[in-house]
Amino acid sequence: MSDTAPAAPKKLFLLDAFALIYRSHFAFSKNPRINSKGMNTGAVLGFTNTLVEVLQKEKPTHIGVCFDGPKKTFRHEQFAAYKAQRQAMPEDIGIALPYIKKIIQGFHIPMLMMDGFEADDVIGTLAQKAEKEGFEVFMMTPDKDYCQLVTENIKIYRPAFMGNAAEILDVAHVLARFEIERVEQVIDILGLQGDASDNIPGIPGIGEKTAKTLIQKYGSVENLLANVDELKGKQQENVRNFAEQGLMSKELATIHVNVPLDFEADKLLLDAPDETVLRELFDELEFRQLSARILGGGPERTPARVAAPGSTPVRRPKLVPGGQASLFGNPGDEAVAIGAEEGETGSHGAPAGPRKRLEDVPYNYHLMDTPELRQSLLSFLLQQEEVSFDTETTGLDTMTARLVGLSFAWLPGEAYYVPVPADDQAATQAIVDEFCPFFESKTILKIGQNIKYDLTILKHYNVNISGPLFDTMLAHYLIEPDMRHNMDVLAETYLHYSPVPITDLIGPKGKKQITMADLAPAAVKDYACEDADVTLQLKHVFEPMLKDLGLLGLLNDVENPLVPVLADIEYEGIRIDSGAMNEYSAELQGYITELETQIFREAGQEFNIGSPKQLGEVLFDKMDIGKGKVKKTKTGQYATGEEILSQLAAENPIAALILEYRQLTKLRSTYVEALPQLVSVVDGRVHTSFNQAVAATGRLSSTNPNLQNIPIRTERGREIRKAFVPRDENHVLLAADYSQVELRIMADFSGDKTMIEAFRLGQDVHTSTASKVFKVPMDAVDSEMRRKAKTVNFGIIYGISAFGLAQRIGISRKEATEIIETYFQEFPSVKAFMDDSINRARELEYAETLLKRRRYLRDINSRNATLRGYTERNAINAPIQGTAADIIKMAMINIHHWLREEKLGTKMILQVHDELVFDAVTEEVEYITPKIKELMTTALLLPRGVPLEVEVGSGRNWLQAH
DNA sequence: GCGATCGC
DNA sequence: GCGATCGC
């Protein structure tokens, strides 16, 4: 370099190691990356990707990675609670850390730390020193506290994350984001609002918004305190009382730039990595793709199914299995499968890694917007054995959404979009009718992602889809029940492909968001076609996986056939007597007002009873009750949960009043007020949505509204069930309940003679359990004994710990442990069953139900005893609860089928885990009752033949039906 | 135990 | 996001 050339800019990157590592770890937590040795490599991979990204993209001249010093910092000395709430480091990060350090060394990058200081102090100090020597400095961190250090030459570099591009924050960004005039004021804002994760308290009642307003007005915490008289009411009181805490919080939020550390530029000079060391590390960690990308060559890669950019695309056979060519001649020359390249970056939230987009792959997407094109498409559709399809609509609410278009795909890389005029109902209906021969075909397999949604939309256009279904969402739910199943994540993970985000079309969420109907069909075409195409390709990936796992039967015999059943249930809805609800609301309001008055009288002041924070302060600070029983929650607030208040009830009448107040306000807000608002104006009924892919055990869940938690336990709660009524005078509600299914399953699985005998003899199983555990004859079991025995039985089914059990029945942990021990002595086979379940899970790392549904239990061999214990209880509970879910799902399919076959008017309208509810035609009740019983009890037979029993009742409302 | 919902 | 409470 010649002397006259201008000096190259000196670019220093300082990485905040722990912040980046934690972020990487949690980014992968929903889709953990486990290598063949069982190590969770998410944190290492994410951190390394971030590091590589910055090296390649930003080309720093100097770089260093900063860690927190090992000893406690001056902040801990100032404020004992500082970071006290912080949870211990996750085990996986502890394991990852040595690897990360070795990788940093392999890159020849220095690690910087200082006893008694945190990484941010080190970074702040070095940044300022480097700035003086003419460096442009980038602090690489996701942490907003660093904003206080930003200057013209010191900036924050937020690495790419969760689909967001990397971002550089300069002075203008910081001022805009905090709405301040000077960068230093960041500390004032943080001091006022506090930071829950660092346990910096701030001033109570001041959040982000208030902090900004106050600092805009007063400029600093100190000046705010000097002018505290100008504030009003509660705010003034808080600022006055917590002035000291505010100042200390400001101090804690301040990054200290006086760490005794020299800035030695030449030590931070970027150096070439040690490729041998890195290659060995990457091999050990199984980072094949990363290794190939940054080191070149390397170990053999699995041949990619997709053509590499620039090379000749793979030729796809022109004929599909059904013998049908593609609609437009010869698309095989261009279109190829999106491709499933094997690699470690494919997980959701991976900071980097090659993920293709629509513009990177060849595709043939066609707009079919004339009668001729539609006819041609239909004739091709009818010749396929399987077709993936998707609907585009104006919104997510199936009751109000209008159809905008339909897309279809049967060859990878190729799809067809049929737009409809959303605002012309008749014209839309006519186009939909054209495709009825396809939708109603009994032989063509229809593939969809969350296909229940499409079924419901089409139902509103009088289409009753027939034939077999394949839902890719449910397929993945069986493969990885705990993970997310939305299409974008699946495409990223399994196809290494990022679909066009919907927000590219309709804009970001909010008031200004438009709908699909506002766009020209040509603008929707690619998005819609891509959905059908991706879904088709996912099906091709999932089907062989399911086959290998032995789960294809469960999908095809249970989950997929259940989809139309649920679609019908949701479509039918249940009638609510809104008048009765409103009357009850007024009645509840009367009680609530009365209770408020009494509570305020007892407390000697008015306050917001619904605020656990205020309530805790009133009870434990002001009234000073519950000495020795006071507990705090993990956020440092007083705990005011049920068990605490129940204990306090003996001491002070206020506790019972509060519990009653809570119960009534819960009933009012969650049920009595909310339900009438969800009644559809179209048919006067409430339509819940069942989610078939969220519960880890295989159960369904219900939302919007949740009709699976309508009260039943208390008198006042039961009142709500009276408002669930049949659709008209010619119907009644019929409820069919499995009696003790889960305990029967446990009795069967364990083969416990005593318990099986109790079921065979039709005894009350909780009483018989109590008789054994408390060693008294059946007729000497009192209600207290029965209650305890029942809790133990449920404890096993729900997988609660001895500790949880003690809490529930209000006994000591010791007594709980004793009850459990006696239980095991009396029911040795149950104990053996539990041990076997755990041992089996230790080996397989999953548990399975009668129909082979899996729940993965990867923490069963963890060294963390709490985590392991929790997972062990799941190992016992998952097969029991999951088998019960399998059984009722089978029963639903069979009953639905039978009702249709017999052309009966009765409709299934709800499922509540072990109960089915029907809107039954009154004249049909007698005929259907025994058949429903039969279909439910024989849906699945338990291996040892323990019988299932079902109770059926009917009445003018849901309460009477029980 | 899980899942959903409410108000703070 | 948290604490509390409903059902199974």
Side-chain angles (χ1 to χ4, degrees):
Chain A
M1 192 191 291
S2 102
D3 289 345
T4 52
K10 294 187 284 183
K11 247 172 125 173
L12 168 64
F13 273 75
L14 295 170
L15 280 68
D16 181 356
F18 274 110
L20 295 170
I21 293 168
Y22 266 81
R23 198 192 58 152
S24 305
H25 173 74
F26 289 110
F28 284 105
S29 59
K30 267 274 162 182
N31 268 340
R33 311 228 43 113
I34 313 287
N35 67 15
S36 68
K37 293 161 204 114
M39 173 183 171
N40 181 346
T41 56
V44 188
L45 179 67
F47 180 86
T48 314
N49 267 324
T50 308
L51 182 62
V52 170
E53 179 197 289
V54 76
L55 291 174
Q56 291 183 339
K57 278 223 243 123
E58 301 300 328
K59 311 219 179 318
T61 56
H62 296 69
I63 189 166
V65 179
C66 304
F67 286 85
D68 292 340
K71 293 192 182 152
K72 281 194 172 182
T73 72
F74 60 92
R75 291 188 180 89
H76 294 99
E77 284 162 25
Q78 278 178 351
F79 179 44
Y82 180 67
K83 293 195 175 172
Q85 303 292 338
R86 192 158 276 195
Q87 306 218 326
M89 187 190 293
E91 194 175 347
D92 288 332
I93 292 188
I95 295 167
L97 214 48
Y99 285 94
I100 291 173
K101 290 189 172 167
K102 279 190 218 160
I103 287 173
I104 296 171
Q105 283 166 350
F107 274 102
H108 286 152
I109 295 174
M111 287 181 272
L112 308 161
M113 65 171 93
M114 191 75 188
D115 263 1
F117 291 91
E118 290 174 50
D120 50 2
D121 303 316
V122 173
I123 290 178
T125 305
L126 292 178
Q128 294 200 352
K129 289 187 174 174
E131 184 185 30
K132 288 199 190 100
E133 294 188 21
F135 276 85
E136 186 178 13
V137 185
F138 293 90
M139 304 177 291
M140 200 154 156
T141 179
D143 190 344
K144 65 177 184 301
D145 294 5
Y146 283 79
C147 288
Q148 61 186 278
L149 296 170
V150 170
T151 69
E152 195 173 335
N153 298 310
I154 303 179
K155 290 166 192 159
I156 293 176
Y157 184 94
R158 289 163 72 104
F161 185 57
M162 294 291 225
N164 294 324
E167 203 185 354
I168 291 174
L169 300 181
D170 59 15
V171 174
H173 281 106
V174 172
L175 298 184
R177 153 135 200 218
F178 288 89
E179 299 169 30
I180 47 178
E181 286 174 4
R182 289 168 285 116
V183 167
E184 312 86 90
Q185 289 173 315
V186 168
I187 316 170
D188 293 284
I189 301 260
L190 296 175
L192 284 184
Q193 79 177 68
D195 181 344
S197 66
D198 284 348
N199 219 24
I200 296 180
I203 290 184
I206 299 187
E208 188 182 331
K209 269 212 138 105
T210 322
K212 281 178 181 170
T213 324
L214 290 176
I215 293 304
Q216 273 164 31
K217 189 152 178 216
Y218 295 100
S220 71
V221 175
E222 290 79 1
N223 197 42
L224 170 69
L225 296 180
N227 293 290
V228 67
D229 321 333
E230 294 174 20
L231 301 177
K232 288 192 195 106
K234 189 78 190 162
Q235 193 172 65
Q236 191 196 80
E237 196 183 310
N238 276 334
V239 173
R240 214 182 269 288
N241 292 342
F242 293 92
E244 193 68 12
Q245 186 172 308
L247 286 170
M248 184 186 65
S249 298
K250 178 174 172 178
E251 173 65 17
L252 286 174
T254 305
I255 295 177
H256 284 254
V257 291
N258 50 3
V259 177
L261 199 65
D262 288 331
F263 174 64
E264 295 168 280
D266 41 334
K267 289 203 176 147
L268 299 179
L269 205 58
L270 185 72
D271 193 5
D274 184 333
E275 298 202 1
T276 321
V277 169
L278 288 181
R279 196 183 301 279
E280 272 173 26
L281 278 165
F282 292 162
D283 277 0
E284 187 187 341
L285 291 160
E286 299 167 17
F287 291 176
R288 281 176 286 274
Q289 193 176 317
L290 183 76
S291 181
R293 199 168 80 237
I294 62 175
L295 303 171
E300 195 76 5
R301 284 169 69 185
T302 309
R305 282 219 331 243
V306 69
S311 69
T312 320
V314 180
R315 258 192 181 256
R316 202 169 27 75
K318 285 176 199 163
L319 295 179
V320 291
Q324 263 312 304
S326 125
L327 187 46
F328 286 86
N330 202 10
D333 290 346
E334 296 168 48
V336 289
I338 288 164
E341 195 169 342
E342 196 227 12
E344 60 275 10
T345 49
S347 206
H348 175 64
R355 204 173 283 144
K356 292 188 167 49
R357 296 182 169 277
L358 190 57
E359 60 266 27
D360 306 324
V361 296
Y363 63 92
N364 270 304
Y365 293 164
H366 307 282
L367 186 60
M368 312 301 277
D369 55 355
T370 68
E372 295 74 26
L373 286 168
R374 287 196 298 268
Q375 270 320 300
S376 171
L377 172 60
L378 178 66
S379 69
F380 270 78
L381 284 173
L382 292 177
Q383 294 174 68
Q384 305 308 317
E385 288 179 359
E386 48 178 70
V387 174
S388 156
F389 83 98
D390 188 36
T391 56
E392 300 306 329
T393 65
T394 55
L396 291 175
D397 175 12
T398 49
M399 289 300 288
T400 55
R402 284 167 297 130
L403 189 67
V404 174
L406 297 161
S407 53
F408 304 89
W410 62 89
L411 289 171
E414 181 171 319
Y416 304 88
Y417 178 60
V418 178
V420 301
D423 47 8
D424 184 341
Q425 159 71 27
T428 300
Q429 185 66 56
I431 296 175
V432 172
D433 287 346
E434 290 174 27
F435 288 90
C436 268
F438 163 72
F439 288 124
E440 293 177 2
S441 154
K442 291 210 172 10
T443 52
I444 303 170
L445 177 77
K446 284 107 191 160
I447 302 160
Q449 161 76 12
N450 188 15
I451 203 168
K452 172 156 67 71
Y453 176 81
D454 307 281
L455 256 59
T456 311
I457 292 293
L458 289 171
K459 216 180 237 295
H460 285 97
Y461 291 88
N462 309 311
V463 180
N464 275 307
I465 295 193
S466 298
L469 303 175
F470 187 105
D471 190 331
T472 45
M473 178 179 81
L474 298 176
H476 192 253
Y477 173 60
L478 297 187
I479 293 170
E480 288 288 356
D482 294 320
M483 290 178 192
R484 299 175 53 193
H485 317 293
N486 73 55
M487 197 195 75
D488 290 356
V489 175
L490 298 182
E492 284 170 10
T493 311
Y494 296 92
L495 305 174
H496 301 274
Y497 180 81
S498 293
V500 176
I502 190 164
T503 46
D504 280 8
L505 278 76
I506 60 172
K509 232 183 164 153
K511 275 195 188 138
K512 278 187 251 162
Q513 192 172 53
I514 59 171
T515 79
M516 286 282 176
D518 301 323
L519 293 161
V524 180
K525 181 199 77 182
D526 281 356
Y527 172 85
C529 285
E530 190 191 47
D531 274 3
D533 184 14
V534 165
T535 304
L536 178 72
Q537 299 198 34
L538 285 172
K539 191 250 179 188
H540 294 331
V541 174
F542 291 155
E543 199 164 37
M545 289 174 77
L546 288 159
K547 213 169 171 187
D548 285 350
L549 295 166
L551 290 168
L552 206 51
L554 179 60
L555 182 70
N556 285 329
D557 300 341
V558 183
E559 300 298 350
N560 283 331
L562 186 63
V563 172
V565 180
L566 294 178
D568 278 352
I569 290 179
E570 294 178 7
Y571 180 82
E572 290 301 330
I574 181 164
R575 193 173 144 212
I576 301 276
D577 182 349
S578 295
M581 280 287 197
N582 291 334
E583 275 173 39
Y584 194 41
S585 173
E587 191 182 329
L588 284 177
Q589 188 52 54
Y591 295 134
I592 290 170
T593 316
E594 172 63 21
L595 279 169
E596 261 174 358
T597 322
Q598 289 183 44
I599 290 169
F600 293 156
R601 196 186 305 137
E602 293 293 336
Q605 71 171 97
E606 296 200 357
F607 63 101
N608 185 344
I609 310 169
S611 159
K613 190 169 180 295
Q614 290 188 33
L615 176 65
E617 285 162 9
V618 168
L619 291 180
F620 304 117
D621 287 338
K622 187 162 169 297
M623 298 177 68
D624 199 25
I625 62 175
K627 285 210 182 62
K629 292 176 189 153
V630 181
K631 278 197 190 132
K632 296 223 171 169
T633 66
K634 59 183 169 196
T635 53
Q637 272 190 52
Y638 290 116
T640 64
E642 231 230 55
E643 68 277 33
I644 303 259
L645 290 184
S646 302
Q647 286 177 40
L648 294 179
E651 183 182 338
N652 195 302
I654 197 170
L657 294 172
I658 290 162
L659 284 174
E660 200 180 355
Y661 173 90
R662 285 227 183 108
Q663 193 210 355
L664 297 184
T665 50
K666 171 88 181 178
L667 290 179
R668 187 190 54 180
S669 63
T670 309
Y671 306 106
V672 180
E673 303 266 87
L675 286 173
Q677 293 193 357
L678 291 165
V679 171
S680 159
V681 288
V682 181
D683 58 12
R685 300 204 278 264
V686 169
H687 302 264
T688 185
S689 318
F690 283 100
N691 198 329
Q692 206 180 337
V694 281
T697 53
R699 279 184 172 185
L700 300 177
S701 80
S702 152
T703 55
N704 212 340
N706 180 356
L707 294 183
Q708 293 183 320
N709 72 343
I710 303 301
I712 192 157
R713 271 187 11 233
T714 64
E715 189 55 43
R716 279 177 178 144
R718 294 160 77 92
E719 198 66 23
I720 289 165
R721 294 205 167 210
K722 289 189 188 162
F724 286 77
V725 292
R727 60 183 63 194
D728 59 35
E729 281 62 50
N730 302 321
H731 288 73
V732 290
L733 285 193
L734 184 144
D737 277 68
Y738 281 106
S739 132
Q740 316 287 8
V741 238
E742 277 146 339
L743 282 175
R744 285 170 196 268
I745 293 168
M746 186 171 80
D748 191 281
F749 284 8
S750 65
D752 190 278
K753 293 232 168 60
T754 330
M755 214 174 261
I756 292 178
E757 190 66 7
F759 282 123
R760 289 246 158 84
L761 295 173
Q763 289 171 350
D764 176 277
V765 72
H766 300 310
T767 306
S768 84
T769 306
S771 138
K772 297 279 171 197
V773 171
F774 297 105
K775 303 188 175 113
V776 295
M778 288 275 283
D779 51 15
V781 171
D782 63 27
S783 63
E784 191 60 9
M785 293 169 171
R786 185 179 182 277
R787 189 178 72 93
K788 287 179 180 171
K790 186 176 169 183
T791 313
V792 180
N793 280 335
F794 278 102
I796 295 170
I797 289 165
Y798 292 147
I800 61 176
S801 58
F803 177 69
L805 182 69
Q807 289 219 314
R808 284 214 180 194
I809 26 182
I811 54 173
S812 70
R813 221 157 140 181
K814 188 161 159 272
E815 196 186 340
T817 314
E818 277 167 17
I819 293 182
I820 293 171
E821 270 169 22
T822 327
Y823 186 99
F824 287 152
Q825 280 165 23
E826 294 296 326
F827 300 100
S829 337
V830 173
K831 171 73 172 137
F833 161 72
M834 293 169 79
D835 292 341
D836 287 350
S837 302
I838 292 170
N839 287 331
R840 198 175 142 77
R842 280 200 187 124
E843 217 160 286
L844 299 172
E845 295 202 328
Y846 65 82
E848 62 186 2
T849 68
L850 198 53
L851 294 186
K852 305 287 167 208
R853 178 193 305 281
R854 289 186 182 188
R855 175 163 189 190
Y856 285 95
L857 302 163
R858 296 178 173 109
D859 289 322
I860 193 124
N861 295 310
S862 168
R863 274 171 307 231
N864 177 329
T866 315
L867 193 59
R868 193 177 59 242
Y870 164 77
T871 314
E872 286 174 357
R873 291 193 296 278
N874 276 333
I876 299 157
N877 138 274
I880 299 174
Q881 221 182 94
T883 299
D886 293 347
I887 292 174
I888 196 163
K889 282 176 170 177
M890 283 302 297
M892 291 169 77
I893 295 164
N894 295 342
I895 292 172
H896 187 255
H897 183 79
W898 178 75
L899 287 173
R900 278 198 164 192
E901 208 167 57
E902 299 267 318
K903 300 203 164 47
L904 292 162
T906 295
K907 308 282 186 195
M908 198 189 305
I909 54 170
L910 274 186
Q911 189 253 44
V912 192
H913 307 309
D914 61 1
E915 169 185 9
L916 296 175
V917 182
F918 300 85
D919 216 344
V921 177
T922 316
E923 290 89 70
E924 294 176 1
V925 170
E926 208 178 319
Y927 178 61
I928 61 175
T929 300
K931 187 67 182 180
I932 286 175
K933 245 187 199 181
E934 181 203 322
L935 288 172
M936 286 175 78
T937 48
T938 59
L940 272 185
L941 298 181
L942 296 177
R944 289 192 172 87
V946 170
L948 296 180
E949 216 172 279
V950 169
E951 286 164 14
V952 182
S954 61
R956 292 303 309 161
N957 60 55
W958 196 3
L959 187 60
Q960 269 185 23
H962 271 277

